[in-house]
Amino acid sequence: MRTYKVALVGTGGIAAIHADNLARAKDRVELVAACDVDQARLAAFGDENGIVGRYQDLTQLLAEAKPDIVHLCTPPMLHIDQAIECLEAGVHVLSEKPPALSLADFDRLNTAQAVGGAQFSCVFQHRFGDASTAAQTLIGGSDFGRPLVASCDTLWYRPDSYFDLPWRGSWNAEGGGPTMGHGIHQFDLLLHLLGPWTEVTALASRQARATSTEDLSAALVRFENGAVATLINSLLSPRETSDIRIDCEFATIELSHLYGYSTDNWTVTPAPGHESMVANAWNGQPLERGSGHSAQFLAMYDALDAGRPLPAGAASARQTLELAAAIYASAFTGAPVRSGDIVPGHPFYSGMDGAGLGTRVLDETALAAASPA
């Protein structure tokens, strides 16, 4: 097994989580450099994590530290250009979500990967727990049967003060509200379990937060395998929870957690008459490791060792980003959106706001709600 040289770009809160999980990888990784425009924050982060290479410029880091992999832990609006620079330099990229603020920007990755021969992956750590692997294996198989109906809820709470950072709560910096910045982890896992989606009908609104984006979205999604799911993404929910439920022909499988799960957060309920079959199928799976960044990091190193495509790579990350775009497009146009509809020339291809349509719809809806009857 090879030891990979890793650099962290951005040294804020999420970078600390990356550094902690990289330390758990031990001999699989060497943390060689960090980069941040804030020199004081960079120095403190470097001291805390024993990082010798410290840079305020990504180009210089790539030239001098020569990492194998760069982890992008910067604000969302910076991800795509930094990813492209790394990929063109032949350096693999693991980017925090969202991978880009639009499908148009994301599709620039294809050329960059070809130029540098490196690969892109997005941090979707919920895919990598043992229970999600077991669920993906069993859903649609003979023991659990076809998936029929599902729900996927990200019910979180963010007070007004959360949006004090200037890049939060805006289309230009975050690409959207909880659909892009929060619920994307949970519905990415749903897509990982159920496969390609085909059509979405959605609503979005600004109920309470002083942002330019939505603070709530709800969607009805049909999948290629015929399953139908409801999705809710909220920043307005004092009792926070993240939930997925999938009802198959012979079993219901449920996950209830908040920001990460262990095997104990999963529940499997058999249909009458299928108790033994379902229990044996579930208990016969490896069910030890929970979700988390370290699980994804190790899967990434294993893929590189074996010369395989990176897990959570560009193609599957695009499917998740396309669903986010379709939720916005449906919510703001009032029409269903099918997979493949959002192409160059479509107003939601170049931005989740649909060239300003989203802001206008949200403003009008908020104004109408605030006006006396």
Side-chain angles (χ1 to χ4, degrees), residues 321-344:
L321 190 66
E322 185 190 16
L323 178 56
I327 290 172
Y328 286 121
S330 177
F332 298 139
T333 64
V337 175
R338 294 189 60 81
S339 177
D341 281 353
I342 304 176
V343 296

Side-chain angles (χ1 to χ4, degrees), residues 134-148 246-253 268-285:
Q136 187 190 42
T137 299
L138 295 169
I139 291 170
S142 59
D143 293 317
F144 275 34
R146 292 187 299 117
L148 305 173
I246 299 173
D247 295 319
C248 300
E249 291 176 286
F250 311 128
T252 292
I253 183 164
V268 174
T269 304
H274 297 270
E275 290 83 359
S276 295
M277 180 177 67
V278 168
N280 290 337
W282 181 250
N283 294 327
Q285 300 292 319

Side-chain angles (χ1 to χ4, degrees), residues 220-244:
L220 183 65
V221 184
R222 186 178 297 278
F223 286 81
E224 197 172 274
N225 57 23
V228 175
T230 59
L231 275 65
I232 297 179
N233 305 294
S234 167
L235 296 182
L236 309 171
S237 307
R239 188 180 73 81
E240 295 187 293
T241 185
S242 305
D243 298 306
I244 286 179

Side-chain angles (χ1 to χ4, degrees), residues 148-352:
L148 305 173
V149 61
S151 59
C152 177
D153 298 334
T154 301
L155 304 175
W156 292 1
Y157 186 83
R158 295 294 183 269
D160 290 335
S161 59
Y162 174 81
F163 299 97
D164 288 346
L165 286 176
W167 55 267
R168 283 184 174 157
S170 71
W171 297 104
N172 291 337
E174 282 199 289
T179 311
M180 276 285 277
H182 304 83
I184 193 170
H185 274 305
Q186 199 75 351
F187 64 73
D188 173 79
L189 177 56
L190 185 73
L191 294 178
H192 183 63
L193 297 176
L194 290 184
W197 64 276
T198 59
E199 184 176 85
V200 60
T201 301
L203 299 171
S205 64
R206 187 190 307 128
Q207 299 283 79
R209 299 292 173 257
T211 67
S212 62
T213 69
E214 88 288 2
D215 55 20
L216 169 72
S217 70
L220 183 65
V221 184
R222 186 178 297 278
F223 286 81
E224 197 172 274
N225 57 23
V228 175
T230 59
L231 275 65
I232 297 179
N233 305 294
S234 167
L235 296 182
L236 309 171
S237 307
R239 188 180 73 81
E240 295 187 293
T241 185
S242 305
D243 298 306
I244 286 179
R245 171 176 172 150
I246 299 173
D247 295 319
C248 300
E249 291 176 286
F250 311 128
T252 292
I253 183 164
E254 298 172 86
L255 167 63
S256 185
H257 67 119
L258 187 51
Y259 301 135
Y261 62 79
S262 67
T263 300
D264 292 341
N265 295 120
W266 293 75
T267 303
V268 174
T269 304
H274 297 270
E275 290 83 359
S276 295
M277 180 177 67
V278 168
N280 290 337
W282 181 250
N283 294 327
Q285 300 292 319
L287 295 170
E288 297 179 6
R289 185 174 61 181
S291 68
H293 284 71
S294 61
Q296 181 165 358
F297 296 171
L298 292 172
M300 184 177 191
Y301 307 147
D302 288 344
L304 290 172
D305 285 347
R308 300 192 306 265
L310 295 185
S316 66
R318 191 189 191 282
Q319 176 180 251
T320 300
L321 190 66
E322 185 190 16
L323 178 56
I327 290 172
Y328 286 121
S330 177
F332 298 139
T333 64
V337 175
R338 294 189 60 81
S339 177
D341 281 353
I342 304 176
V343 296
H346 191 286
F348 286 85
Y349 181 73
S350 297
M352 302 293 171

